[in-house]
Amino acid sequence: MSAQKTAKEDKHRELKLSMEVFFSNKSAVAGLVIFLFYFFDAIILQFFPQVMPFKHPYSLTPNYVNPIPLPPSKKFPFGTTYPGVNLLTAIIKSIRLDFWLSLAVVVPGAFLGVIIGIVATYFGGLVDEVLMRITDIVFSIPYLVLAIAIGYVLGRTLDSMMIALILVWWPLYARYARSVTLEVKEITFIEAARAAGSSKMKIMFRHILPNSLPPVFVQMSLDLGTIMLTISALAFIGFLPAANLPELGYLTSLGYNYVETAPWAMIIPGMFIVLFALAVNLMGDGFRDVIDPRRRSAL
Amino acid sequence: MMENRKHDSSPIVKIENLHLHYYTRRGIYKALNGVNLEIRRGEVLGVAGESGCGKSTLGRAIMGIIPRNAAIVEGKILVDGVDYLKPLREYFKKAKKFKPTKNQDLLKKVNEEMSKIRGQKISMVFQEPMTTLNPLLTVGYQISEVLFYHNPGLLASRRLARARATKEDTKNIVKILKEEGEGERLRQYLKNRNIMGLEDQIISIWRRKELHDLKKEQMILELCCEPISSMARGYLEQIEKTNSLPKFSKLPIVGRIVKRELLKEAFKKSAEFLGLLGIPDPDKVVYMYPHELSGGQRQRIVITTAMINNPNLVILDEPTSALDVTIQAQILELVKELKEKINSTYMFISHDLSVLSEVSDRIAIMYAGQVVEVGPKSAIFNSPKHPYTQMLMEAIPTIEAHELKGIKGEVPDMRNPPKGCMFYPRCPYAMPICKEKRPPLFKVGEDHYVACYLYGGEKK
Amino acid sequence: MLLFIPTLIGLTVIVFTLLHIGGTTKLLAMYLSPRLTGAARAHVIAELDAKFHLNQPVYVQYFYWLIQILEGNWGITNTPLYSGPVTQAIAIFFPNTLILTIFAAIIIWLVSIPLGVHTAVNRDKPSDNAIRVASLTFYAMPWYLIGVVLIIIFAVYFRILPIAGTVNPSLVVGLSWYHNGISYPTHILLIDALLHGDFKVAWNAFLHLIMPSVTLSLGVMAALIRLMRGTMLETMDQDFVNFARAKGVPEKVVINLHAKNNALLPVVTNFGYLVAGLLGGVVVIEDVFSYPGIGMWLTSAMLNNDMGGIMGGTLLFGLILVTTSLFLDILYAKIDPRIRY
Ligand SMILES: Nc1ncnc2c1ncn2[C@@H]1O[C@H](COP(=O)(O)OP(=O)(O)O)[C@@H](O)[C@H]1O
Ligand code: SF4
Ligand SMILES: [Mg+2]
């Protein structure tokens, strides 16, 4: 009984320490705050679009009367981009799409990867070997190129871009999850063997999976940024033929032709991509500090 | 060197009231809390204590190899009378808030200062032989480094001697060896012929036990007439005279040749030394990488590296703890042998009292960052005074399991150590005063000191 | 190294699978000139049917396709940049990409390793913080945005570097070794100009290379500096580094010989990922700077629905990456004595 109680206290103390470690890292906190801005933007536009004063929350509103980009002003705080799109509202709309798109790639990609990674460590031997060779093979094509090829074959739409990115991304998690589970496995099996009784399967999912999740979670947070960068790069080179899509990469490509006369049309939406990638990176580094006992104690 | 060591009675290391704290995000670990200890010339000082009591920290602090988050809060370490850690202590005194970055800057200076004596006057062997050697470099190179940076003159003179010696010389040398052995006449001859660099080469061959005399003679006869380029010769002669390295960056091509000559010579000397220690196939071993050697072999290499320059002080931080019992015994033999051969001072750290009983002259017992008892080995083993030492002695039951385990209670949390005696929470004889004040060291016998109020201090 | 062949086979399987997702028409599109019509077209289709054994099971088709690939018959590409055999397109575009990536790789290596070491050694100092902030910012920037910022600064504002292409067209008019945007004999303008002793053109070609290669290097550099800093910090805590100090080895040697070389090992292992990033960056950056290489060809193929260009480009990028990995494995074995094949 008392052992249980101290275990609980220990957990409580660990949690408190984790919080302390994370919040003592100012840049990680800044990253979290910025991330939350994007998060709430995405939530509000997705689920309560009526709150915002947008007639078309899910598409851009062009103004062909005055298509040339205008510099930032009272009316258009971020200026406009071709064709007469108000950048402020366009960016607010775009964040929604980019955010969910990144999440829609990272979560299934990570899920798939983790399952495969764990299966590989669980069965080991030939299964492990074959699965890891498959990841090798997927890695043998630069991911951006492979995403272009897959997306192209599936038809250049938003959905196929998503599928292409998931297909490109899972091997990363499979590898990562494998290395993490291998590490956890060694420790856990010894302890579990002492506790005795439980089956290998049970150990795998009861003990090893939960212990492997935190590092994978950190990797996911870092990857949200990488995915958004990749999406925007694909959009920039013209992967998405459909116009009017509120997407940050697409917005920047709209401004590209006016780079010399209206640099803001590219820089400002671009900055929102950078800000997001920066935020999740800082945040992820902060999380990593929390879960890594060595970093945790170093000063 | 050896002569004045005997006469000089001042301790080689004197530690006065040393406080060292590790600053971490989890709090400040007070690793050393007022250590008082001296290491005397020529002795083997054993240091014992439970894991985590600060033994390694103490050893590393003497070497000046401490991490950036280690603050020297108070006290000093005098190595041959020099207080190398002074800048760190002064920084801590001055600073309002301890910053590892600043500490690191000063550590860099300390490193620079101390690199002149490390490997030369003091050296250290770490606990874990598997991680102590650089996996990317041959063991020969790793031994050679010490010679190259600290003793280039010796290397140059060895190489030059082989160039200067003639066939006639080596024949004469063999004759002298056969008649009188490695005595004064040999030295005299070498001195007269200006080939002193041959001395240790000859002796290392002559003393080898596993070789037949004829083979030895033949090897000695080969120590001559080795040609050398005149350019390199000039630089080597300069190095021989000054025993310091020239600025190699200023001599691009010659520098490389000279450097290679010196390193080659260092490999030779390393192999000789390994052979003297009875390591088989030394000429092959020097070209091996650490991963090709077993843990015991690696620890031998590490010990060789630490000893090859005849340092005044060697700190051995649990050199046997990570090894199998049989290998432990071999390493211990090696250390004893070295103790005979090389007249150094040793600080032997171990959590295993039975190991210390084999090698030490004096023993210091540490508890929670303090030396709680120190005295001659016999006194510590026959009449332990401190309650902690007494418990330790009772906890060495059999020959087999002789680690410091079976002691009741827990080590105090070093972030919040007790205000008074560190042992208070576990001590069966605790008194009210123990809770209030840290006991200083009281003299209880000839050269025997104990930090415990049972043995003094009542008057206060 | 043993994995080289299976990986190559896997690579071709991926490309072949992609070709077959949309049925055989996609494959045909790759080998069929779009200009053909009517009977001639039907005839060629029948020919291709026989050549690729399109009536046989898919796995049989794969082998016939593989034979064609091995024989150098990679199909036809039809983009505004180039129309003709894929292999010919590769011969034209690949040299440009090669020089671009080599330039970028040199910049990356020369800058990021020393900076990674510097930041680790001077941990938490102002210079470390500045380099960390800068590299994190570049790390978080899409490639094309880095390119655009450089364009705005150096081409639009200062006007000291050219924006696009490989050379100022007016300089190469009427040169005997330059036709239709292609230089001879190496197809790398900078080298060809030097070979022909035309230093004006060479200098101009060099200027055109600066911005794309710097852009390309900045993104990867950021990742490499971070990686190097991390592994270096880890290595500097290791026992053998402290032991080198305990031997009295000068601090400079401790850092540069003992710590750095060991810290480089994980960097070399991870360099494959960085090269993959680099090759992905090529696609975007060539597009931004209208630089006629494989990446721009691939983009153009995508925009113009050109199967030949997409698959040819993908296969080529895969081949480059696999070969680089092989090379890196060999390099790794060279520097780490623990690995012997
Ligand atoms: N680099 C470090 N940072 C923080 N704490 C440390 C560090 N090194 C050692 N310590 C702490 O200092 C105490 C003494 O450690 P150490 O000297 O290694 O003990 P021993 O060698 O006797 O086992 C331990 O509590 C340990 O946790
Ligand atoms: S000073 Fe007091 S508490 Fe400490 S060991 Fe002696 S008797 Fe025990
Ligand atoms: Mg220790």
Side-chain angles (χ1 to χ4, degrees):
Chain A
M1 246 276 290
S2 70
Q4 236 169 25
K5 204 172 159 193
T6 50
K8 218 173 200 172
E9 270 170 18
D10 270 0
K11 231 176 194 166
H12 185 75
R13 195 162 357 121
E14 278 301 296
L15 193 72
K16 214 176 124 199
L17 181 64
S18 300
M19 295 295 236
E20 257 175 52
V21 169
F22 185 84
F23 284 99
S24 70
N25 183 343
K26 280 178 212 124
S27 49
V29 175
L32 179 67
V33 170
I34 297 171
F35 176 81
L36 287 178
F37 269 107
Y38 281 71
F39 176 69
F40 284 120
D41 182 317
I43 291 277
I44 290 170
L45 256 99
Q46 188 69 33
F47 299 110
F48 316 101
Q50 61 280 13
V51 180
M52 304 296 277
F54 299 149
K55 239 187 257 157
H56 309 286
Y58 302 145
S59 63
L60 295 176
T61 36
N63 174 9
Y64 289 103
V65 181
N66 198 354
I68 305 298
L70 295 174
S73 63
K74 264 233 169 77
K75 194 169 167 212
F76 305 114
F78 289 164
T80 68
T81 188
Y82 179 85
V85 175
N86 180 352
L87 268 176
L88 175 63
T89 59
I91 285 171
I92 293 176
K93 293 174 190 172
S94 304
I95 286 175
R96 175 199 70 94
L97 183 60
D98 275 310
F99 188 89
W100 292 120
L101 210 53
S102 306
L103 218 59
V105 174
V106 168
V107 173
F111 186 74
L112 204 64
V114 168
I115 293 290
I116 289 175
I118 289 198
V119 166
T121 33
Y122 176 69
F123 288 104
L126 191 67
V127 178
D128 183 24
E129 188 66 21
V130 169
L131 284 173
M132 287 306 117
R133 282 298 79 73
I134 292 177
T135 62
D136 265 352
I137 289 165
V138 180
F139 275 132
S140 72
I141 303 175
Y143 65 87
L144 193 69
V145 175
L146 186 58
I148 291 176
I150 297 177
Y152 169 79
V153 172
L154 298 179
R156 287 155 54 198
T157 63
L158 212 54
D159 287 343
S160 67
M161 178 154 102
M162 209 172 75
I163 295 171
L165 286 175
I166 294 172
L167 288 178
V168 170
W169 231 267
W170 71 264
L172 210 70
Y173 286 104
R175 286 260 181 105
Y176 195 64
R178 180 172 169 276
S179 70
V180 174
T181 40
L182 272 180
E183 223 168 85
V184 178
K185 191 174 155 185
E186 284 192 7
I187 311 163
T188 320
F189 264 114
I190 302 164
E191 284 172 10
R194 258 197 223 125
S198 37
S199 72
K200 202 175 165 194
M201 193 65 128
K202 204 166 158 195
I203 297 170
M204 215 63 211
F205 283 91
R206 268 278 177 78
H207 303 279
I208 296 183
L209 181 64
N211 282 321
S212 323
L213 283 182
V216 172
F217 179 66
V218 169
Q219 189 62 35
M220 282 169 75
S221 121
L222 296 174
D223 275 349
L224 278 178
T226 320
I227 301 268
M228 189 181 282
L229 293 179
T230 311
I231 293 173
S232 75
L234 283 173
F236 179 80
I237 60 173
F239 182 89
L240 295 171
N244 260 353
L245 210 54
E247 199 282 325
L248 288 170
Y250 179 66
L251 277 186
T252 49
S253 72
L254 286 178
Y256 185 47
N257 290 331
Y258 299 88
V259 137
E260 294 180 43
T261 51
W264 65 86
M266 230 190 134
I267 299 291
I268 291 178
M271 258 171 42
F272 278 85
I273 301 173
V274 178
L275 204 61
F276 183 75
L278 210 56
V280 291
N281 265 293
L282 293 174
M283 196 172 73
D285 280 348
F287 287 143
R288 193 155 43 197
D289 278 357
V290 172
I291 63 165
D292 186 338
R294 247 178 328 141
R295 286 175 191 243
R296 189 175 186 146
S297 54
L299 191 75
Chain B
M1 246 201 303
M2 245 175 238
E3 292 83 79
N4 66 30
R5 211 184 280 169
K6 283 238 168 77
H7 300 302
D8 195 345
S9 62
S10 71
I12 186 161
V13 172
K14 194 162 165 50
I15 303 161
E16 293 172 9
N17 193 26
L18 181 66
H19 291 252
L20 186 151
H21 296 176
Y22 288 113
Y23 278 66
T24 76
R25 282 198 196 148
R26 292 176 162 230
I28 303 169
Y29 284 84
K30 304 183 172 79
L32 298 180
N33 302 292
V35 172
N36 287 295
L37 192 62
E38 57 179 45
I39 306 175
R40 300 172 193 156
R41 281 170 211 275
E43 74 167 347
V44 178
L45 172 70
V47 177
E50 282 164 300
S51 143
C53 70
K55 304 182 298 290
S56 299
T57 303
L58 183 63
R60 284 170 188 249
I62 296 171
M63 294 292 293
I65 299 177
I66 50 176
R68 66 209 281 274
N69 64 339
I72 304 295
V73 174
E74 216 187 313
K76 54 186 159 189
I77 302 176
L78 299 172
V79 181
D80 258 337
V82 185
D83 181 7
Y84 288 98
L85 297 180
K86 193 171 165 194
L88 299 182
R89 184 181 62 237
E90 283 178 349
Y91 162 68
F92 187 85
K93 282 252 163 68
K94 229 173 39 206
K96 282 194 197 79
K97 191 168 172 278
F98 175 76
K99 285 213 182 77
T101 335
K102 266 277 158 54
N103 206 42
Q104 190 183 14
D105 281 349
L106 299 165
L107 254 176
K108 235 181 225 164
K109 285 208 191 93
V110 172
N111 266 330
E112 221 166 86
E113 271 306 302
M114 291 198 81
S115 70
K116 286 172 210 143
I117 61 160
R118 288 184 194 150
Q120 164 89 333
K121 286 192 167 163
I122 56 174
S123 59
M124 183 161 180
V125 172
F126 293 148
Q127 173 169 0
E128 187 46 76
M130 299 313 254
T131 56
T132 308
L133 292 173
N134 187 331
L136 300 187
L137 300 171
T138 57
V139 296
Y141 181 82
Q142 299 190 52
I143 305 173
S144 300
E145 254 185 338
V146 203
L147 292 165
F148 180 77
Y149 287 110
H150 296 298
N151 232 339
L154 173 74
L155 298 176
S157 102
R158 282 170 56 102
R159 177 69 187 85
L160 287 170
R162 281 208 311 284
R164 288 183 196 133
T166 61
K167 272 223 162 61
E168 200 65 29
D169 284 329
T170 49
K171 270 183 201 154
N172 289 335
I173 289 168
V174 170
K175 214 172 110 211
I176 296 173
L177 278 170
K178 275 186 180 160
E179 286 165 6
E180 294 186 18
E182 42 187 80
E184 193 51 35
R185 188 159 146 229
L186 178 68
R187 281 180 61 96
Q188 211 52 51
Y189 181 82
L190 294 174
K191 212 172 213 164
N192 290 341
R193 298 283 305 131
N194 189 21
I195 45 176
M196 276 306 281
L198 282 186
E199 189 185 10
D200 61 335
Q201 306 182 57
I202 295 167
I203 291 178
S204 76
I205 294 173
W206 198 243
R207 281 191 190 166
R208 274 169 79 167
K209 293 180 192 114
E210 81 280 15
L211 293 180
H212 191 269
D213 279 358
L214 276 177
K215 173 82 187 159
K216 289 186 196 170
E217 274 174 37
Q218 196 191 342
M219 282 169 78
I220 290 172
L221 286 176
E222 276 164 17
L223 292 175
C224 75
C225 335
E226 205 177 309
I228 190 168
S229 79
S230 57
M231 250 196 312
R233 183 181 205 129
Y235 282 106
L236 285 179
E237 271 166 359
Q238 208 179 321
I239 293 168
E240 183 184 21
K241 230 183 273 157
T242 59
N243 193 20
S244 63
L245 294 169
K247 279 238 177 302
F248 285 117
S249 52
K250 284 201 182 131
L251 337 153
I253 296 167
V254 199
R256 193 165 289 177
I257 297 173
V258 173
K259 212 169 172 174
R260 213 179 42 216
E261 285 289 347
L262 290 176
L263 277 176
K264 227 164 84 191
E265 200 53 49
F267 266 73
K268 271 210 173 98
K269 163 97 182 153
S270 308
E272 272 171 24
F273 200 84
L274 288 176
L276 268 183
L277 297 183
I279 290 170
D281 271 338
D283 296 310
K284 264 194 218 130
V285 168
V286 287
Y287 291 103
M288 286 188 181
Y289 288 93
H291 72 274
E292 298 170 273
L293 302 170
S294 69
Q297 281 171 306
R298 289 192 213 189
Q299 195 63 302
R300 261 171 254 206
I301 301 286
V302 173
I303 293 173
T304 308
T305 317
M307 301 293 307
I308 200 164
N309 272 338
N310 297 348
N312 301 357
L313 170 68
V314 185
I315 299 168
L316 298 144
D317 185 2
E318 313 214 21
T320 61
S321 304
L323 303 169
D324 291 342
V325 182
T326 46
I327 316 268
Q328 271 191 28
Q330 288 172 19
I331 296 284
L332 223 52
E333 267 324 297
L334 174 69
V335 173
K336 279 193 212 158
E337 206 181 313
L338 281 167
K339 202 178 124 188
E340 307 273 293
K341 277 195 184 133
I342 299 169
N343 187 13
S344 281
T345 310
Y346 298 82
M347 173 174 171
F348 198 110
I349 299 172
S350 179
H351 60 246
D352 187 341
L353 275 170
S354 63
V355 166
L356 292 185
S357 75
E358 281 189 51
V359 292
S360 332
D361 302 325
R362 282 196 312 144
I363 290 181
I365 306 288
M366 282 185 76
Y367 184 77
Q370 275 184 309
V371 172
V372 292
E373 179 161 5
V374 56
K377 177 169 76 181
S378 53
I380 298 283
F381 276 92
N382 298 333
S383 61
K385 289 288 189 285
H386 198 278
Y388 176 64
T389 318
Q390 288 169 356
M391 286 166 87
L392 282 184
M393 292 298 162
E394 279 158 27
I396 318 178
T398 55
I399 311 159
E400 269 302 289
H402 41 213
E403 289 182 10
L404 308 181
K405 278 184 205 157
I407 296 173
K408 267 186 293 171
E410 274 179 44
V411 200
D413 178 0
M414 296 308 286
R415 283 171 290 190
N416 280 310
K419 192 171 132 229
C421 173
M422 290 280 187
F423 197 55
Y424 177 78
R426 293 163 85 179
C427 182
Y429 313 109
M431 304 170 285
I433 186 177
C434 309
K435 199 177 176 184
E436 297 307 317
K437 272 180 78 176
R438 292 253 165 94
L441 284 168
F442 300 108
K443 184 164 179 166
V444 289
E446 181 62 33
D447 202 20
H448 189 176
Y449 298 86
V450 177
C452 172
Y453 285 120
L454 290 173
Y455 304 97
E458 306 93 327
K459 307 130 225 167
K460 287 178 190 176
Chain C
M1 219 180 292
L2 293 169
L3 304 174
F4 182 57
I5 302 294
T7 312
L8 271 187
I9 293 172
L11 170 66
T12 55
V13 169
I14 290 186
V15 173
F16 183 74
T17 313
L18 287 176
L19 269 172
H20 266 261
I21 284 176
T24 46
T25 45
K26 288 246 160 96
L27 178 73
L28 285 178
M30 235 177 110
Y31 287 89
L32 203 59
S33 167
R35 267 165 251 146
L36 289 174
T37 49
R41 189 180 164 86
H43 179 71
V44 174
I45 288 181
E47 242 179 50
L48 286 172
D49 250 346
K51 206 178 206 168
F52 287 99
H53 296 248
L54 294 183
N55 48 359
Q56 305 246 7
V58 175
Y59 57 88
V60 179
Q61 289 182 31
Y62 166 74
F63 287 105
Y64 286 103
W65 173 79
L66 194 60
I67 290 170
Q68 293 298 317
I69 294 291
L70 290 177
E71 282 178 357
N73 184 6
W74 286 35
I76 300 166
T77 173
N78 184 30
T79 70
L81 280 180
Y82 179 83
S83 281
V86 167
T87 42
Q88 197 56 45
I90 290 174
I92 296 169
F93 295 123
F94 180 61
N96 281 336
T97 301
L98 185 68
I99 185 96
L100 176 63
T101 35
I102 288 178
F103 261 56
I106 293 174
I107 300 175
I108 291 166
W109 194 258
L110 286 185
V111 175
S112 45
I113 301 301
L115 278 191
V117 173
H118 174 90
T119 49
V121 172
N122 295 289
R123 180 173 165 198
D124 295 337
K125 298 269 182 62
S127 67
D128 174 32
N129 289 335
I131 293 169
R132 263 160 80 198
V133 169
S135 63
L136 190 60
T137 312
F138 280 120
Y139 187 69
M141 260 170 112
W143 298 95
Y144 62 88
L145 205 63
I146 302 178
V148 166
V149 171
L150 289 187
I151 288 179
I152 292 175
I153 296 172
F154 293 105
V156 178
Y157 190 76
F158 286 118
R159 293 183 183 282
I160 47 175
L161 287 174
I163 293 186
T166 55
V167 70
N168 182 352
S170 64
L171 283 177
V172 286
V173 181
L175 288 179
S176 62
W177 46 274
Y178 189 92
H179 309 287
N180 297 330
I182 304 165
S183 67
Y184 298 87
T186 62
H187 301 331
I188 299 174
L189 186 64
L190 176 60
I191 292 176
D192 289 333
L194 289 175
L195 286 179
H196 291 92
D198 195 334
F199 296 113
K200 211 167 154 199
V201 173
W203 175 245
N204 191 261
F206 176 71
L207 289 182
H208 276 79
L209 264 172
I210 293 179
M211 276 211 289
S213 50
V214 168
T215 311
L216 191 52
S217 57
L218 279 175
V220 173
M221 214 190 277
L224 196 57
I225 293 174
R226 275 160 64 94
L227 184 62
M228 188 68 199
R229 179 179 183 274
T231 59
M232 188 73 188
L233 280 179
E234 224 158 82
T235 317
M236 286 201 304
D237 272 348
Q238 304 250 317
D239 272 352
F240 64 79
V241 173
N242 276 327
F243 187 58
R245 288 201 181 105
K247 291 193 290 188
V249 173
E251 188 68 13
K252 232 189 193 159
V253 180
V254 172
I255 300 290
N256 286 320
L257 180 70
H258 291 273
K260 187 172 121 188
N261 287 357
N262 278 282
L264 273 176
L265 289 181
V267 172
V268 175
T269 346
N270 280 297
F271 210 69
Y273 295 106
L274 294 178
V275 174
L278 194 71
L279 293 176
V282 165
V283 177
V284 180
I285 283 159
E286 291 188 348
D287 197 44
V288 173
F289 290 98
S290 305
Y291 183 88
I294 301 287
M296 191 172 165
W297 172 49
L298 192 72
T299 330
S300 157
M302 179 189 76
L303 296 177
N304 292 286
N305 248 326
D306 172 44
M307 197 65 186
I310 296 268
M311 288 308 148
T314 308
L315 199 53
L316 180 70
F317 271 115
L319 284 177
I320 301 172
L321 189 52
V322 174
T323 325
T324 328
S325 309
L326 177 71
F327 174 72
L328 286 174
D329 279 352
I330 296 172
L331 181 73
Y332 194 85
K334 267 229 147 54
I335 54 177
D336 189 341
R338 282 165 294 189
I339 295 177
R340 288 272 176 268
Y341 286 108

